[in-house]
Amino acid sequence: MTQPVPVVILGAGGDALVIAESIIQGERAGFPITLAGFLDDKLMGTVLYGKPVLGELDDWAKLDATTHFVPAIQKVKDAIRRTERLEEMDLPLERWITIIHPKAAVSSDAVIGHGAFIASCATVQPESRVGAFASLRAGAMLGHHCEVKDHAYVGPNAVMCGRSVLERGAHLGPGAVLLEAKVMGEFSVAGIGAAVIKDVAARTIVFGNPARRVGFVR
């Protein structure tokens, strides 16, 4: 019998618990994975979800070579720094794992990158691409030919209409909608419930219906 792959979550905040539950549900559904614990720079030595925080983020190298990792350190107001932090860890590509909740609906031809997370009830339609370390939250919907690039985030119940694009590190907030074929630039942010009907420039924050610029990501 094949031994399940031990998975350690990088981060131990609220997002980490969402991923932890997805791993547990996956294991119950027969996926060959098991939750082994967490790594976090501030919560070492504590216990979350019945599993230990095994050390700081950089302690990944001390763990058994069979251990795989998934990140949960994304944060909209700190996306640039946290993306850099993740990349600076220089963790080998083969040690990352993609977590897909068993109740997500992912097209058979969709391309999903390493270290990505797809939550319950998310839908990924044909010809879509989800990049490395990207995150699709519960109820997120990607239409056909959508692109969610590395480190980008699609919030709960947010919708990407067909052929729309989130560039690297872009954030589509909960309940927001990105119109067909529109592009959100690198590290741009669309706030809760935004109706994005035009392209959004890099590091720009938009909000409202229709979405308008309200600030910039510093």
Side-chain angles (χ1 to χ4, degrees):
M1 184 175 179
T2 303
Q3 291 297 312
V5 174
V7 180
V8 168
I9 299 171
L10 303 180
D15 280 356
L17 300 186
V18 173
I19 296 176
E21 180 62 26
S22 294
I23 293 170
I24 291 168
Q25 292 298 326
E27 185 174 11
R28 289 176 179 173
F31 297 176
I33 55 176
T34 189
L35 179 63
F38 306 83
L39 292 176
D40 190 275
D41 287 342
K42 296 181 179 179
L43 297 174
M44 303 84 72
T46 59
V47 175
L48 295 171
Y49 239 59
K51 300 293 182 179
V53 179
L54 299 164
E56 299 180 357
L57 295 179
D58 289 329
D59 288 333
W60 68 265
K62 299 177 182 178
L63 301 180
D64 187 89
T66 62
T67 303
H68 285 60
F69 303 91
V70 62
I73 64 172
Q74 296 96 333
K75 189 174 183 180
V76 61
K77 293 181 180 179
D78 199 20
I80 296 172
R81 187 183 67 85
R82 293 193 180 207
T83 295
E84 292 171 348
R85 176 74 175 93
L86 196 62
E87 292 175 345
E88 286 168 358
M89 291 176 65
D90 201 27
L91 209 152
L93 184 64
E94 65 272 13
R95 300 288 295 277
W96 293 109
I97 192 168
T98 294
I99 299 299
I100 300 176
H101 194 285
K103 291 187 178 179
V106 179
S107 174
S108 60
D109 68 350
V111 177
I112 313 297
H114 58 268
F117 170 60
I118 300 179
S120 59
C121 301
T123 301
V124 181
Q125 298 285 7
E127 297 292 335
S128 289
R129 293 177 176 269
V130 177
F133 313 117
S135 184
L136 311 185
R137 294 293 156 162
M141 208 291 284
L142 271 61
H144 61 84
H145 295 89
C146 285
E147 278 195 79
V148 179
K149 297 193 177 180
D150 296 356
H151 301 281
Y153 177 101
V154 184
N157 299 315
V159 176
M160 293 179 66
C161 298
R163 302 184 189 278
S164 59
V165 178
L166 292 186
E167 295 287 1
R168 182 174 183 264
H171 180 105
L172 188 64
V177 178
L178 179 58
L179 190 64
E180 182 177 1
K182 300 308 177 186
V183 178
M184 289 186 57
E186 247 190 20
F187 294 107
S188 62
V189 176
I192 293 171
V196 184
I197 62 173
K198 297 180 180 179
D199 292 347
V200 178
R203 305 194 185 200
T204 299
I205 303 170
V206 297
F207 193 81
N209 182 2
R212 293 181 172 86
R213 186 180 68 202
V214 296
F216 298 95
V217 176
R218 304 296 182 185

